[in-house]
Short mmCIF file of all heavy atoms in Angstrom, two decimals:
data_model
loop_
_atom_site.label_atom_id
_atom_site.label_comp_id
_atom_site.label_asym_id
_atom_site.label_seq_id
_atom_site.Cartn_x
_atom_site.Cartn_y
_atom_site.Cartn_z
N MET A 1 3.83 67.32 -28.10
CA MET A 1 4.27 67.99 -26.88
C MET A 1 3.23 69.04 -26.51
O MET A 1 2.72 69.78 -27.36
CB MET A 1 5.63 68.60 -27.10
CG MET A 1 6.11 69.36 -25.89
SD MET A 1 7.87 69.75 -26.10
CE MET A 1 8.08 70.82 -24.74
N MET A 2 2.94 69.16 -25.24
CA MET A 2 1.97 70.17 -24.76
C MET A 2 2.62 71.53 -24.77
O MET A 2 3.82 71.67 -24.82
CB MET A 2 1.48 69.82 -23.34
CG MET A 2 0.59 68.63 -23.27
SD MET A 2 -0.10 68.47 -21.64
CE MET A 2 -1.80 68.90 -21.96
N SER A 3 1.77 72.53 -24.71
CA SER A 3 2.25 73.91 -24.75
C SER A 3 2.99 74.27 -23.43
O SER A 3 3.08 73.48 -22.53
CB SER A 3 1.11 74.84 -25.02
OG SER A 3 0.13 74.69 -24.03
N ASP A 4 3.47 75.48 -23.43
CA ASP A 4 4.27 75.96 -22.28
C ASP A 4 3.44 75.97 -20.99
O ASP A 4 2.25 76.13 -20.99
CB ASP A 4 4.77 77.38 -22.56
CG ASP A 4 5.79 77.40 -23.68
OD1 ASP A 4 6.47 76.38 -23.87
OD2 ASP A 4 5.88 78.44 -24.35
N ILE A 5 4.16 75.82 -19.90
CA ILE A 5 3.57 75.82 -18.56
C ILE A 5 3.22 77.28 -18.22
O ILE A 5 3.99 78.19 -18.44
CB ILE A 5 4.56 75.24 -17.55
CG1 ILE A 5 4.84 73.77 -17.88
CG2 ILE A 5 4.02 75.38 -16.11
CD1 ILE A 5 5.95 73.16 -17.06
N GLU A 6 1.98 77.43 -17.65
CA GLU A 6 1.51 78.76 -17.28
C GLU A 6 0.89 78.71 -15.87
O GLU A 6 0.46 77.61 -15.42
CB GLU A 6 0.47 79.23 -18.29
CG GLU A 6 0.99 79.38 -19.71
CD GLU A 6 -0.09 79.67 -20.67
OE1 GLU A 6 -1.28 79.56 -20.35
OE2 GLU A 6 0.25 80.03 -21.81
N PRO A 7 0.77 79.84 -15.20
CA PRO A 7 0.12 79.86 -13.89
C PRO A 7 -1.32 79.27 -13.97
O PRO A 7 -2.02 79.53 -14.93
CB PRO A 7 0.06 81.36 -13.55
CG PRO A 7 1.26 81.91 -14.27
CD PRO A 7 1.31 81.14 -15.56
N GLY A 8 -1.64 78.47 -12.99
CA GLY A 8 -2.95 77.83 -12.94
C GLY A 8 -2.91 76.40 -13.47
O GLY A 8 -3.84 75.62 -13.22
N ASP A 9 -1.90 76.02 -14.21
CA ASP A 9 -1.81 74.67 -14.71
C ASP A 9 -1.58 73.66 -13.59
O ASP A 9 -0.93 73.93 -12.61
CB ASP A 9 -0.65 74.51 -15.71
CG ASP A 9 -0.89 75.24 -17.01
OD1 ASP A 9 -2.03 75.74 -17.26
OD2 ASP A 9 0.06 75.37 -17.81
N LEU A 10 -2.14 72.46 -13.79
CA LEU A 10 -1.96 71.36 -12.86
C LEU A 10 -0.79 70.54 -13.38
O LEU A 10 -0.74 70.12 -14.54
CB LEU A 10 -3.22 70.51 -12.85
CG LEU A 10 -3.56 69.70 -11.62
CD1 LEU A 10 -3.69 70.60 -10.41
CD2 LEU A 10 -4.85 68.93 -11.83
N VAL A 11 0.25 70.31 -12.52
CA VAL A 11 1.47 69.65 -12.95
C VAL A 11 1.86 68.51 -11.99
O VAL A 11 1.38 68.44 -10.84
CB VAL A 11 2.64 70.66 -13.04
CG1 VAL A 11 2.39 71.69 -14.11
CG2 VAL A 11 2.92 71.34 -11.71
N THR A 12 2.74 67.63 -12.47
CA THR A 12 3.36 66.61 -11.65
C THR A 12 4.85 66.53 -12.11
O THR A 12 5.25 67.24 -13.02
CB THR A 12 2.67 65.25 -11.80
OG1 THR A 12 3.20 64.35 -10.82
CG2 THR A 12 2.82 64.67 -13.18
N LEU A 13 5.59 65.65 -11.47
CA LEU A 13 6.96 65.49 -11.89
C LEU A 13 7.01 64.63 -13.16
O LEU A 13 6.28 63.66 -13.29
CB LEU A 13 7.78 64.78 -10.80
CG LEU A 13 8.01 65.57 -9.50
CD1 LEU A 13 8.84 64.74 -8.53
CD2 LEU A 13 8.75 66.89 -9.83
N ARG A 14 7.90 65.01 -14.03
CA ARG A 14 8.07 64.24 -15.30
C ARG A 14 8.68 62.87 -14.99
O ARG A 14 9.50 62.72 -14.10
CB ARG A 14 9.02 65.05 -16.22
CG ARG A 14 9.18 64.46 -17.59
CD ARG A 14 10.06 65.35 -18.46
NE ARG A 14 9.58 66.67 -18.66
CZ ARG A 14 8.62 67.01 -19.55
NH1 ARG A 14 8.09 66.07 -20.31
NH2 ARG A 14 8.24 68.25 -19.67
N GLY A 15 8.26 61.88 -15.76
CA GLY A 15 8.84 60.57 -15.65
C GLY A 15 8.22 59.67 -14.59
O GLY A 15 8.80 58.62 -14.25
N LEU A 16 7.08 60.00 -14.05
CA LEU A 16 6.45 59.14 -13.01
C LEU A 16 5.19 58.47 -13.57
O LEU A 16 4.27 58.15 -12.80
CB LEU A 16 6.06 60.02 -11.80
CG LEU A 16 7.18 60.65 -11.01
CD1 LEU A 16 6.64 61.47 -9.86
CD2 LEU A 16 8.15 59.62 -10.52
N GLY A 17 5.19 58.16 -14.84
CA GLY A 17 4.03 57.59 -15.50
C GLY A 17 3.53 56.27 -14.87
O GLY A 17 2.34 56.01 -14.83
N ASN A 18 4.46 55.47 -14.38
CA ASN A 18 4.08 54.14 -13.85
C ASN A 18 3.80 54.20 -12.32
O ASN A 18 3.42 53.17 -11.77
CB ASN A 18 5.18 53.12 -14.12
CG ASN A 18 5.30 52.87 -15.61
OD1 ASN A 18 4.35 53.03 -16.37
ND2 ASN A 18 6.50 52.51 -16.04
N GLN A 19 4.03 55.31 -11.69
CA GLN A 19 3.76 55.44 -10.27
C GLN A 19 2.28 55.47 -9.98
O GLN A 19 1.51 56.13 -10.66
CB GLN A 19 4.40 56.71 -9.72
CG GLN A 19 5.89 56.79 -9.72
CD GLN A 19 6.48 55.98 -8.60
OE1 GLN A 19 7.20 55.03 -8.83
NE2 GLN A 19 6.14 56.30 -7.40
N GLU A 20 1.87 54.73 -8.95
CA GLU A 20 0.45 54.79 -8.56
C GLU A 20 0.12 56.15 -7.95
O GLU A 20 -0.92 56.73 -8.20
CB GLU A 20 0.15 53.68 -7.55
CG GLU A 20 -0.87 52.70 -8.02
CD GLU A 20 -1.12 51.65 -7.00
OE1 GLU A 20 -1.78 51.96 -5.98
OE2 GLU A 20 -0.71 50.49 -7.23
N GLU A 21 1.03 56.65 -7.09
CA GLU A 21 0.82 57.95 -6.48
C GLU A 21 1.94 58.87 -6.96
O GLU A 21 3.09 58.52 -6.96
CB GLU A 21 0.92 57.82 -4.97
CG GLU A 21 -0.16 56.98 -4.34
CD GLU A 21 0.02 56.94 -2.83
OE1 GLU A 21 1.14 56.62 -2.36
OE2 GLU A 21 -0.94 57.22 -2.11
N LYS A 22 1.53 60.06 -7.34
CA LYS A 22 2.55 61.04 -7.72
C LYS A 22 2.13 62.40 -7.22
O LYS A 22 0.94 62.68 -7.08
CB LYS A 22 2.79 61.08 -9.22
CG LYS A 22 1.59 61.10 -10.12
CD LYS A 22 2.08 61.02 -11.56
CE LYS A 22 1.01 60.45 -12.44
NZ LYS A 22 1.44 60.29 -13.80
N PRO A 23 3.11 63.25 -6.91
CA PRO A 23 2.78 64.59 -6.41
C PRO A 23 2.10 65.42 -7.49
O PRO A 23 2.47 65.35 -8.63
CB PRO A 23 4.15 65.18 -6.03
CG PRO A 23 5.14 64.39 -6.82
CD PRO A 23 4.55 63.04 -7.01
N VAL A 24 1.10 66.16 -7.08
CA VAL A 24 0.36 67.03 -8.00
C VAL A 24 0.39 68.44 -7.43
O VAL A 24 0.22 68.65 -6.22
CB VAL A 24 -1.12 66.56 -8.12
CG1 VAL A 24 -1.92 67.54 -8.96
CG2 VAL A 24 -1.18 65.15 -8.70
N GLY A 25 0.67 69.40 -8.28
CA GLY A 25 0.76 70.79 -7.85
C GLY A 25 0.09 71.74 -8.82
O GLY A 25 -0.20 71.38 -9.95
N ILE A 26 -0.13 72.92 -8.32
CA ILE A 26 -0.71 74.01 -9.15
C ILE A 26 0.40 75.07 -9.34
O ILE A 26 1.03 75.47 -8.35
CB ILE A 26 -1.94 74.64 -8.49
CG1 ILE A 26 -3.06 73.62 -8.32
CG2 ILE A 26 -2.43 75.86 -9.31
CD1 ILE A 26 -4.20 74.12 -7.51
N VAL A 27 0.62 75.50 -10.56
CA VAL A 27 1.61 76.52 -10.83
C VAL A 27 1.08 77.85 -10.34
O VAL A 27 0.02 78.31 -10.79
CB VAL A 27 1.91 76.61 -12.34
CG1 VAL A 27 2.91 77.73 -12.63
CG2 VAL A 27 2.44 75.25 -12.86
N LYS A 28 1.75 78.43 -9.35
CA LYS A 28 1.34 79.73 -8.80
C LYS A 28 1.78 80.88 -9.67
O LYS A 28 1.01 81.80 -9.93
CB LYS A 28 1.85 79.89 -7.38
CG LYS A 28 1.17 79.00 -6.38
CD LYS A 28 1.83 79.06 -5.03
CE LYS A 28 1.57 80.36 -4.31
NZ LYS A 28 2.08 80.34 -2.92
N ARG A 29 3.04 80.85 -10.08
CA ARG A 29 3.56 81.94 -10.94
C ARG A 29 4.89 81.54 -11.54
O ARG A 29 5.56 80.63 -11.07
CB ARG A 29 3.71 83.22 -10.14
CG ARG A 29 4.74 83.14 -9.02
CD ARG A 29 4.75 84.37 -8.16
NE ARG A 29 5.60 84.19 -6.99
CZ ARG A 29 6.60 84.98 -6.66
NH1 ARG A 29 6.82 86.06 -7.36
NH2 ARG A 29 7.34 84.72 -5.61
N SER A 30 5.21 82.25 -12.61
CA SER A 30 6.50 82.05 -13.27
C SER A 30 7.54 82.93 -12.56
O SER A 30 7.28 84.10 -12.28
CB SER A 30 6.36 82.46 -14.74
OG SER A 30 7.66 82.42 -15.33
N LEU A 31 8.69 82.36 -12.33
CA LEU A 31 9.78 83.11 -11.70
C LEU A 31 10.85 83.50 -12.71
O LEU A 31 11.93 83.89 -12.37
CB LEU A 31 10.39 82.29 -10.56
CG LEU A 31 9.44 81.89 -9.42
CD1 LEU A 31 10.10 80.97 -8.44
CD2 LEU A 31 8.90 83.14 -8.70
N GLY A 32 10.51 83.28 -14.00
CA GLY A 32 11.43 83.64 -15.07
C GLY A 32 12.38 82.52 -15.36
O GLY A 32 12.59 81.62 -14.56
N ARG A 33 12.94 82.53 -16.59
CA ARG A 33 13.94 81.54 -17.04
C ARG A 33 13.47 80.09 -16.82
O ARG A 33 14.25 79.30 -16.33
CB ARG A 33 15.28 81.80 -16.38
CG ARG A 33 15.75 83.22 -16.56
CD ARG A 33 17.19 83.30 -16.81
NE ARG A 33 17.38 83.42 -18.24
CZ ARG A 33 18.48 83.13 -18.85
NH1 ARG A 33 19.52 82.67 -18.22
NH2 ARG A 33 18.57 83.26 -20.16
N LYS A 34 12.23 79.84 -17.10
CA LYS A 34 11.64 78.49 -17.03
C LYS A 34 11.63 77.89 -15.62
O LYS A 34 11.73 76.68 -15.41
CB LYS A 34 12.38 77.55 -18.00
CG LYS A 34 12.24 77.99 -19.41
CD LYS A 34 12.71 76.93 -20.36
CE LYS A 34 12.53 77.43 -21.80
NZ LYS A 34 12.12 76.44 -22.69
N THR A 35 11.54 78.75 -14.62
CA THR A 35 11.39 78.34 -13.22
C THR A 35 10.02 78.78 -12.76
O THR A 35 9.57 79.89 -13.04
CB THR A 35 12.48 78.94 -12.35
OG1 THR A 35 13.78 78.59 -12.86
CG2 THR A 35 12.38 78.49 -10.92
N PHE A 36 9.35 77.87 -12.00
CA PHE A 36 7.98 78.14 -11.57
C PHE A 36 7.83 77.91 -10.09
O PHE A 36 8.46 77.03 -9.51
CB PHE A 36 6.99 77.25 -12.34
CG PHE A 36 7.01 77.49 -13.82
CD1 PHE A 36 7.86 76.78 -14.63
CD2 PHE A 36 6.22 78.49 -14.36
CE1 PHE A 36 7.89 77.01 -16.02
CE2 PHE A 36 6.25 78.72 -15.73
CZ PHE A 36 7.08 77.98 -16.54
N GLU A 37 6.96 78.74 -9.48
CA GLU A 37 6.56 78.51 -8.08
C GLU A 37 5.35 77.57 -8.10
O GLU A 37 4.37 77.82 -8.81
CB GLU A 37 6.21 79.82 -7.40
CG GLU A 37 5.89 79.65 -5.94
CD GLU A 37 5.63 80.94 -5.22
OE1 GLU A 37 5.71 82.01 -5.84
OE2 GLU A 37 5.29 80.88 -4.03
N ILE A 38 5.46 76.47 -7.35
CA ILE A 38 4.41 75.45 -7.36
C ILE A 38 3.85 75.31 -5.94
O ILE A 38 4.56 75.33 -4.97
CB ILE A 38 5.03 74.06 -7.72
CG1 ILE A 38 5.87 74.12 -8.99
CG2 ILE A 38 3.93 72.99 -7.82
CD1 ILE A 38 5.11 74.37 -10.25
N MET A 39 2.50 75.17 -5.89
CA MET A 39 1.84 74.86 -4.62
C MET A 39 1.46 73.35 -4.75
O MET A 39 0.57 73.00 -5.52
CB MET A 39 0.59 75.68 -4.42
CG MET A 39 -0.12 75.34 -3.12
SD MET A 39 -1.65 76.30 -2.86
CE MET A 39 -2.69 75.52 -4.09
N TRP A 40 2.16 72.51 -3.98
CA TRP A 40 1.91 71.08 -4.04
C TRP A 40 0.62 70.75 -3.27
O TRP A 40 0.47 71.14 -2.12
CB TRP A 40 3.09 70.28 -3.52
CG TRP A 40 4.30 70.49 -4.38
CD1 TRP A 40 5.37 71.28 -4.10
CD2 TRP A 40 4.53 69.97 -5.69
NE1 TRP A 40 6.25 71.28 -5.16
CE2 TRP A 40 5.72 70.49 -6.14
CE3 TRP A 40 3.78 69.12 -6.51
CZ2 TRP A 40 6.26 70.16 -7.40
CZ3 TRP A 40 4.31 68.79 -7.77
CH2 TRP A 40 5.54 69.32 -8.20
N ILE A 41 -0.31 70.11 -3.93
CA ILE A 41 -1.63 69.82 -3.37
C ILE A 41 -1.54 68.72 -2.32
O ILE A 41 -2.09 68.84 -1.21
CB ILE A 41 -2.63 69.43 -4.48
CG1 ILE A 41 -2.81 70.62 -5.42
CG2 ILE A 41 -3.95 69.00 -3.88
CD1 ILE A 41 -3.60 70.31 -6.68
N ASN A 42 -0.89 67.63 -2.66
CA ASN A 42 -0.78 66.50 -1.72
C ASN A 42 0.57 66.59 -1.01
O ASN A 42 1.57 66.03 -1.47
CB ASN A 42 -0.98 65.16 -2.45
CG ASN A 42 -0.29 65.07 -3.79
OD1 ASN A 42 0.45 66.00 -4.19
ND2 ASN A 42 -0.49 63.99 -4.51
N GLU A 43 0.57 67.29 0.11
CA GLU A 43 1.81 67.62 0.83
C GLU A 43 2.57 66.36 1.27
O GLU A 43 3.82 66.39 1.31
CB GLU A 43 1.50 68.49 2.04
CG GLU A 43 1.11 69.90 1.64
CD GLU A 43 0.87 70.79 2.84
OE1 GLU A 43 1.50 70.55 3.89
OE2 GLU A 43 0.05 71.72 2.72
N GLY A 44 1.88 65.30 1.61
CA GLY A 44 2.56 64.09 2.04
C GLY A 44 3.46 63.54 0.96
O GLY A 44 4.60 63.15 1.20
N LEU A 45 2.92 63.48 -0.23
CA LEU A 45 3.74 62.99 -1.38
C LEU A 45 4.82 63.98 -1.73
O LEU A 45 5.94 63.60 -2.08
CB LEU A 45 2.87 62.75 -2.61
CG LEU A 45 2.02 61.49 -2.57
CD1 LEU A 45 1.12 61.43 -3.78
CD2 LEU A 45 2.86 60.26 -2.52
N ALA A 46 4.53 65.26 -1.65
CA ALA A 46 5.56 66.28 -1.93
C ALA A 46 6.73 66.12 -0.95
O ALA A 46 7.88 66.23 -1.35
CB ALA A 46 4.96 67.68 -1.82
N THR A 47 6.41 65.83 0.30
CA THR A 47 7.48 65.59 1.30
C THR A 47 8.25 64.34 0.96
O THR A 47 9.49 64.33 1.06
CB THR A 47 6.85 65.50 2.72
OG1 THR A 47 6.13 66.73 2.96
CG2 THR A 47 7.92 65.28 3.75
N ARG A 48 7.57 63.27 0.59
CA ARG A 48 8.21 62.03 0.24
C ARG A 48 9.19 62.19 -0.91
O ARG A 48 10.25 61.61 -0.94
CB ARG A 48 7.21 60.96 -0.09
CG ARG A 48 7.77 59.59 -0.30
CD ARG A 48 6.79 58.54 -0.71
NE ARG A 48 5.52 58.57 -0.01
CZ ARG A 48 4.42 57.97 -0.45
NH1 ARG A 48 4.45 57.29 -1.61
NH2 ARG A 48 3.32 58.07 0.20
N PHE A 49 8.82 63.03 -1.90
CA PHE A 49 9.69 63.29 -3.04
C PHE A 49 10.65 64.46 -2.78
O PHE A 49 11.33 64.87 -3.68
CB PHE A 49 8.83 63.57 -4.28
CG PHE A 49 8.23 62.34 -4.89
CD1 PHE A 49 6.98 61.91 -4.50
CD2 PHE A 49 8.92 61.61 -5.85
CE1 PHE A 49 6.40 60.80 -5.07
CE2 PHE A 49 8.37 60.50 -6.41
CZ PHE A 49 7.11 60.05 -6.02
N ALA A 50 10.65 64.98 -1.56
CA ALA A 50 11.54 66.07 -1.15
C ALA A 50 11.40 67.29 -2.07
O ALA A 50 12.40 67.87 -2.51
CB ALA A 50 12.98 65.61 -1.06
N LEU A 51 10.16 67.67 -2.38
CA LEU A 51 9.94 68.79 -3.30
C LEU A 51 9.91 70.09 -2.55
O LEU A 51 9.44 70.17 -1.43
CB LEU A 51 8.58 68.56 -4.01
CG LEU A 51 8.50 67.29 -4.85
CD1 LEU A 51 7.10 67.15 -5.43
CD2 LEU A 51 9.53 67.33 -5.97
N VAL A 52 10.40 71.11 -3.21
CA VAL A 52 10.30 72.47 -2.69
C VAL A 52 9.27 73.23 -3.52
O VAL A 52 8.72 72.65 -4.45
CB VAL A 52 11.67 73.18 -2.74
CG1 VAL A 52 12.65 72.51 -1.76
CG2 VAL A 52 12.26 73.18 -4.12
N ASP A 53 9.03 74.47 -3.20
CA ASP A 53 7.98 75.21 -3.89
C ASP A 53 8.42 75.83 -5.22
O ASP A 53 7.69 76.59 -5.81
CB ASP A 53 7.34 76.26 -2.99
CG ASP A 53 8.34 77.35 -2.55
OD1 ASP A 53 9.55 77.19 -2.84
OD2 ASP A 53 7.92 78.30 -1.94
N MET A 54 9.61 75.49 -5.70
CA MET A 54 10.10 75.94 -6.97
C MET A 54 10.55 74.78 -7.82
O MET A 54 11.10 73.82 -7.28
CB MET A 54 11.25 76.93 -6.82
CG MET A 54 10.83 78.28 -6.33
SD MET A 54 12.21 79.43 -6.26
CE MET A 54 13.02 78.89 -4.79
N ALA A 55 10.31 74.82 -9.14
CA ALA A 55 10.75 73.74 -10.01
C ALA A 55 11.03 74.28 -11.39
O ALA A 55 10.36 75.23 -11.84
CB ALA A 55 9.68 72.66 -10.08
N LYS A 56 11.98 73.69 -12.06
CA LYS A 56 12.31 74.03 -13.47
C LYS A 56 11.33 73.30 -14.37
O LYS A 56 10.89 72.20 -14.06
CB LYS A 56 13.73 73.60 -13.80
CG LYS A 56 14.78 74.33 -13.01
CD LYS A 56 15.16 75.60 -13.69
CE LYS A 56 16.34 76.22 -13.00
NZ LYS A 56 16.60 77.54 -13.51
N SER A 57 11.04 73.88 -15.51
CA SER A 57 10.02 73.32 -16.43
C SER A 57 10.43 71.95 -16.95
O SER A 57 9.58 71.11 -17.21
CB SER A 57 9.78 74.26 -17.59
OG SER A 57 10.94 74.48 -18.33
N HIS A 58 11.72 71.67 -17.07
CA HIS A 58 12.15 70.37 -17.63
C HIS A 58 11.84 69.22 -16.65
O HIS A 58 11.85 68.07 -17.03
CB HIS A 58 13.65 70.37 -17.99
CG HIS A 58 14.56 70.42 -16.84
ND1 HIS A 58 14.96 71.59 -16.24
CD2 HIS A 58 15.17 69.41 -16.15
CE1 HIS A 58 15.77 71.27 -15.24
NE2 HIS A 58 15.93 69.99 -15.16
N ARG A 59 11.57 69.54 -15.39
CA ARG A 59 11.20 68.52 -14.40
C ARG A 59 9.71 68.32 -14.27
O ARG A 59 9.25 67.46 -13.56
CB ARG A 59 11.75 68.92 -13.03
CG ARG A 59 13.27 68.94 -12.97
CD ARG A 59 13.75 69.10 -11.53
NE ARG A 59 13.33 67.95 -10.75
CZ ARG A 59 13.00 67.98 -9.48
NH1 ARG A 59 13.07 69.14 -8.83
NH2 ARG A 59 12.61 66.93 -8.82
N LEU A 60 8.90 69.18 -14.97
CA LEU A 60 7.46 69.14 -14.78
C LEU A 60 6.72 68.62 -16.01
O LEU A 60 7.18 68.78 -17.15
CB LEU A 60 6.93 70.57 -14.48
CG LEU A 60 7.48 71.21 -13.22
CD1 LEU A 60 7.05 72.67 -13.19
CD2 LEU A 60 7.04 70.48 -11.99
N GLU A 61 5.60 68.00 -15.74
CA GLU A 61 4.71 67.49 -16.80
C GLU A 61 3.34 68.07 -16.52
O GLU A 61 2.84 68.02 -15.40
CB GLU A 61 4.69 65.97 -16.70
CG GLU A 61 3.76 65.30 -17.65
CD GLU A 61 3.79 63.80 -17.50
OE1 GLU A 61 4.83 63.23 -17.06
OE2 GLU A 61 2.77 63.17 -17.78
N ILE A 62 2.67 68.60 -17.55
CA ILE A 62 1.36 69.22 -17.39
C ILE A 62 0.32 68.10 -17.36
O ILE A 62 0.26 67.26 -18.26
CB ILE A 62 1.07 70.21 -18.53
CG1 ILE A 62 2.08 71.33 -18.54
CG2 ILE A 62 -0.37 70.74 -18.41
CD1 ILE A 62 1.96 72.25 -19.74
N LEU A 63 -0.53 68.12 -16.33
CA LEU A 63 -1.65 67.20 -16.23
C LEU A 63 -2.87 67.81 -16.85
O LEU A 63 -3.68 67.16 -17.49
CB LEU A 63 -1.94 66.82 -14.77
CG LEU A 63 -0.86 66.02 -14.07
CD1 LEU A 63 -1.20 65.85 -12.59
CD2 LEU A 63 -0.65 64.66 -14.74
N SER A 64 -3.09 69.12 -16.61
CA SER A 64 -4.25 69.84 -17.09
C SER A 64 -3.92 71.33 -17.23
O SER A 64 -3.30 71.91 -16.34
CB SER A 64 -5.40 69.66 -16.12
OG SER A 64 -6.53 70.35 -16.57
N LYS A 65 -4.31 71.90 -18.35
CA LYS A 65 -4.11 73.33 -18.57
C LYS A 65 -5.22 74.11 -17.90
O LYS A 65 -6.39 73.68 -17.95
CB LYS A 65 -4.11 73.66 -20.07
CG LYS A 65 -2.97 73.03 -20.87
CD LYS A 65 -1.62 73.64 -20.56
CE LYS A 65 -1.54 75.07 -21.04
NZ LYS A 65 -0.33 75.77 -20.60
N ALA A 66 -4.88 75.25 -17.35
CA ALA A 66 -5.89 76.10 -16.69
C ALA A 66 -6.77 76.78 -17.73
O ALA A 66 -7.98 76.88 -17.55
CB ALA A 66 -5.19 77.15 -15.83
N ASP A 67 -6.22 77.20 -18.83
CA ASP A 67 -6.95 77.91 -19.86
C ASP A 67 -7.00 77.04 -21.11
O ASP A 67 -6.02 76.81 -21.77
CB ASP A 67 -6.23 79.23 -20.21
CG ASP A 67 -6.98 80.06 -21.19
OD1 ASP A 67 -8.06 79.61 -21.66
OD2 ASP A 67 -6.54 81.16 -21.50
N GLN A 68 -8.21 76.52 -21.39
CA GLN A 68 -8.33 75.60 -22.52
C GLN A 68 -9.17 76.16 -23.68
O GLN A 68 -9.78 75.42 -24.42
CB GLN A 68 -8.94 74.27 -22.04
CG GLN A 68 -8.09 73.58 -21.05
CD GLN A 68 -8.70 72.24 -20.63
OE1 GLN A 68 -9.79 71.90 -21.03
NE2 GLN A 68 -7.96 71.51 -19.84
N LYS A 69 -9.15 77.48 -23.82
CA LYS A 69 -9.94 78.07 -24.92
C LYS A 69 -9.23 77.78 -26.27
O LYS A 69 -8.04 77.76 -26.34
CB LYS A 69 -10.14 79.55 -24.74
CG LYS A 69 -8.87 80.37 -24.73
CD LYS A 69 -9.21 81.82 -24.49
CE LYS A 69 -7.91 82.59 -24.29
NZ LYS A 69 -8.13 83.94 -23.85
N SER A 70 -9.99 77.56 -27.30
CA SER A 70 -9.42 77.28 -28.61
C SER A 70 -9.45 78.56 -29.44
O SER A 70 -10.38 79.37 -29.35
CB SER A 70 -10.19 76.17 -29.30
OG SER A 70 -11.56 76.50 -29.38
N ASP A 71 -8.45 78.73 -30.24
CA ASP A 71 -8.33 79.94 -31.08
C ASP A 71 -8.83 79.68 -32.45
O ASP A 71 -8.70 78.67 -33.04
CB ASP A 71 -6.90 80.44 -31.15
CG ASP A 71 -6.39 80.88 -29.76
OD1 ASP A 71 -7.22 81.41 -28.99
OD2 ASP A 71 -5.19 80.70 -29.46
#
């Protein structure tokens, strides 16, 4: 399992692995209690999936972490 979602991470909706097109967004900020403000990059797909600018972490899948430094 990937680490926690943080601002700057690239995300999509969980469970769309077989979809050719899926909405992609950037996490703008944490709104607390595992809720995040998302800026959807491909607005057409975001509209098709009826997405709003907020999402719970259980609905999101990380595509790429913003900070990839190793400790």
